[in-house]
Amino acid sequence: METKNSTRLWKSYQKEIADDHYYYARSCIRQNFFPASEKVFLKILQEELQKDIYDDPHHTTCTGIAYHSDIIPQETTATVIARHFALMTELGYENLAISCVTSFGLYTELLETWKHFPEEEAKIRELLWKATRREFSIPKNLAHSSDIIFHNREEINNKSKRRLVNAKTGQPLKVVDHIGCHYAKLFPEKGIGGAEFPYVLTGMVESWGGQVIDYPERRHCCGFGFRQYLVMANRGYSVSNSKKKFDSMAPYEPDFIVSNCPGCSMFMDKWQYTIAEMEGTTYGKGGYGIPVLTYEEMAGLVLGYDPWDLGLQMHQVSVEPLLDKMGIDYSKPNKYKTQQPNSFPKKPLKLMV
Amino acid sequence: MQTKTIAIIGAGPAGMEASASLAKLGHQVVLIEKKASTGGHLNNWHHLFPDRRPAKELLQKLKQEVNHSNIEVMVNTAVHEVKQNDYRYELVLSEKNVINANAVLITTGFELFDAAKKEEYGYGIYNQVITNSDLEQLFQADNLAAQFKKPVKRVAFVHCVGSRDAKVNNHYCSKVCCVTAVKQSIEFKERMPETEVFCFYMDMRMFGPYYEELYREAQEKWGIVFIRGKISEASQTRDGSLQIKAEDTLASKPLRMNTDLLVLMAGMVPAEGNEHISRQFKLAIGDNRFFKSKDNHFDNQLSDTPGVFLAGACLAPMNITDTISQARAAALRIHEYLTN
């Protein structure tokens, strides 16, 4: 690829991202899959960047999984999201920072719908009032939390303790970036870099010393796809999509994958175990997999945080090969320091951990 | 007959042919072209469909025609401002030249759709992605194979790039891309017989004489494969080729293949300056953003503004045959207008 050309295209998609004072909308699934990521996001914003961000315990799921699985009416989803807007309004915030890309896509879709069909907005306002006696203002700024990290990537770089560089060779780490479909494929203009050549994660990787790989199946779905996974009979379809991506990226020997979507991070991490068990294929060197990081975890490593404080021990694919490449001094015994004795799962048969 | 002056804006095939026709009828013509040379897109084309006539031949004939004592050609000249005085138009041109015209003919033509807007094809990103216009430039060389850095074992043409596409707000068909793809794929096969050629189309619109025959020849004689389906994305592989994904809608199957070259059949869009011209002459613009004629059956060359006429691809996408017919029709309508 002509890097200069692609950068030009990536940079042609920009959007306004608020500088400060965010109301944080957490993800319903990330707290289970990658429990430290959201905590790290808050820590980076509050402690490293001195930003004001409010983590509201009254916030709930956006209903996105149910919505995309066709088991909940649109009005219910819209009313739940309207309640989040009301919570934000009541606290005096105007900028929404959304942790999950499906929530981000859904919030964006709702606001776009209301622009074209104001009567829908009026109906939802009425439903919310009847149900909760709450009112709301439309957020002034809607950003995915990866947008906010992207927005502050140079400041994070200035505070960095480590680079995305192979400590032995000095070469940039080779990174696969993967954007959640609902981040930019629904509304390309709402994602930094658009849908075809997204720049949000690439920008972080480049600022922090790494190099992004452009491989043929870069835009392909991770395999989650909601109904592909949630309907058990379709799970073969889900894993085959992930396999297609791994087969396509493996020849480039990526050092790690970074994603901004809860589902993508989870499936690209866990399906590597499944594929190894099913057919004995592993995609990293020496029987290991390709580590999968969230962008907060990547930022945390760059800022010098302890890998186990970032929750990297929760990953299916072992991150140690990556930590070794980056020259990170970590404690092996501490990896499972919070784990109850005799509660370790069986080791996989094929995938090295 | 008192000599009347007609200003013609745009010196592509329509403007040139109309100039020649009006000059022959005894009128004075000022042919205004904002670019450095006359001929418009013909300058960029190698051969024309369906008979593969060299574009240069047509260009030469048009240039001979406008080499007439009644025609003044002004290149590198733009129309900045227009004032109407009764039935005369005062055109303020570049460097403050002023022309007084009894009638004005708009022949501003079209521009090629910017294929980079269809980001999924990677034009401007991957070197192996070119447009129909780029390919015509490559055809100018004697040795086509030598124009590519790597051997081209397979080439894929994508029809309807920027046409019939709601996502880029171009709902119309650009008409000429199907037959251009057929012509170019045959030319490719003639020059490089070992290359596999695929065309990805939505519908094959072979509307003109001998177009359908050319389409048949492409399949029967040259073995070009036509697949009904649009390409959804192109990405680069490790060996420097492109991986493309499409759906074969006749077989109802998704399709993935590698290709060494991807040719995008960029459609026609209204010329950039049309908005300015429409404001100056108070001309109506259609929903498709091309100029709108007074009556698309009987008064296709007339605008709603008296004394201002329209011809060629500034009205809608069209081939050169229709463009020349429209130019001559416009000349006749202008002659009628000035003599009555």
Side-chain angles (χ1 to χ4, degrees), chain B residues 227-248:
Chain B
I227 297 173
R228 185 172 177 268
K230 285 204 85 174
I231 290 175
S232 60
E233 66 171 72
S235 20
Q236 198 166 42
T237 64
R238 286 197 91 197
D239 65 7
S241 65
L242 291 167
Q243 177 186 282
I244 54 175
K245 289 182 181 179
E247 183 188 356
D248 183 336

Side-chain angles (χ1 to χ4, degrees), chain A residues 302-318:
Chain A
V302 166
L303 286 166
Y305 297 174
D306 187 288
W308 313 137
D309 289 343
L310 290 169
L312 300 187
Q313 65 276 41
M314 296 295 289
H315 291 214
Q316 176 66 64
V317 175
S318 293

Side-chain angles (χ1 to χ4, degrees), chain B residues 2-206:
Chain B
Q2 193 189 343
T3 309
K4 300 284 176 69
T5 300
I6 300 119
I8 299 185
I9 304 172
M16 294 170 90
E17 182 64 21
S19 299
S21 299
L22 286 162
K24 281 179 209 162
L25 289 164
H27 299 289
Q28 287 293 325
V29 176
V30 181
L31 180 58
I32 303 160
E33 171 57 46
K34 69 177 176 184
K35 291 191 177 156
S37 60
T38 57
H41 292 275
L42 269 179
N43 290 300
N44 306 327
W45 240 249
H46 180 52
H47 282 165
L48 305 174
F49 59 76
D51 54 5
R52 316 273 298 283
R53 189 177 187 179
K56 272 184 191 162
E57 196 181 301
L58 214 69
L59 197 59
Q60 210 169 13
K61 184 171 166 49
L62 288 166
K63 283 189 175 174
Q64 279 167 1
E65 282 185 351
V66 295
N67 187 15
H68 191 289
S69 57
N70 284 5
I71 302 173
E72 183 188 354
V73 180
M74 300 177 80
V75 292
N76 291 318
T77 305
V79 177
H80 290 297
E81 202 185 342
V82 177
K83 293 168 193 164
Q84 189 179 3
N85 304 313
D86 296 326
Y87 289 101
R88 289 173 70 84
Y89 287 93
E90 186 183 303
L91 276 63
V92 181
L93 308 177
S94 309
E95 295 173 10
K96 295 187 179 170
N97 282 330
V98 175
I99 289 173
N100 281 296
N102 301 89
V104 177
L105 174 62
I106 313 289
T107 52
T108 46
F110 69 97
E111 281 169 20
L112 274 183
F113 173 76
D114 177 8
K117 286 184 180 169
K118 295 297 293 176
E119 292 170 3
E120 59 268 40
Y121 300 137
Y123 183 65
I125 303 270
Y126 304 123
N127 294 330
Q128 307 90 325
V129 185
I130 62 172
T131 64
N132 40 4
S133 174
D134 298 333
L135 184 57
E136 288 291 332
Q137 298 289 317
L138 296 177
F139 281 151
Q140 308 275 5
D142 291 334
N143 186 348
L144 180 63
Q147 305 306 305
F148 305 106
K149 284 182 187 166
K150 287 182 180 175
V152 178
K153 293 179 187 161
R154 184 181 282 168
V155 57
F157 289 79
V158 190
H159 294 215
C160 302
V161 175
S163 308
R164 303 179 69 196
D165 186 345
K167 281 190 176 173
V168 292
N169 197 27
N170 293 344
H171 296 265
Y172 54 83
C173 166
S174 287
K175 280 178 85 174
V176 298
C177 324
C178 283
V179 65
T180 302
V182 171
K183 179 201 76 107
Q184 290 188 338
S185 57
I186 290 175
E187 285 175 308
F188 213 101
K189 204 70 184 164
E190 281 176 344
R191 304 274 204 103
M192 296 169 65
E194 301 303 316
T195 303
E196 285 184 294
V197 181
F198 292 83
C199 283
F200 290 87
Y201 69 95
M202 289 162 72
D203 294 296
M204 292 300 290
R205 295 188 164 177
M206 298 286 115

Side-chain angles (χ1 to χ4, degrees), chain A residues 244-264:
Chain A
K244 188 181 275 186
K245 281 188 81 75
F246 295 135
D247 287 344
S248 177
M249 71 176 77
Y252 296 82
E253 299 181 345
D255 295 305
F256 71 96
I257 298 166
V258 61
S259 177
N260 70 345
C261 169
C264 302

Side-chain angles (χ1 to χ4, degrees), chain A residues 26 29 47-48 80 85 100 106 110 114 121 131 152 157 185 188 201 212 224 228 237 258 273 282 298 339 345 350:
Chain A
R26 279 186 183 247
I29 58 175
E47 295 176 21
E48 304 283 354
V80 169
F85 291 160
C100 168
L106 204 44
L110 187 65
W114 288 352
E121 181 184 342
N152 292 289
N157 190 39
K185 283 183 185 170
L201 297 175
V212 165
F224 183 11
Q228 282 93 288
Y237 187 62
V258 61
Y273 156 76
T282 52
M298 177 171 72
Q339 191 85 11
K350 302 284 182 187

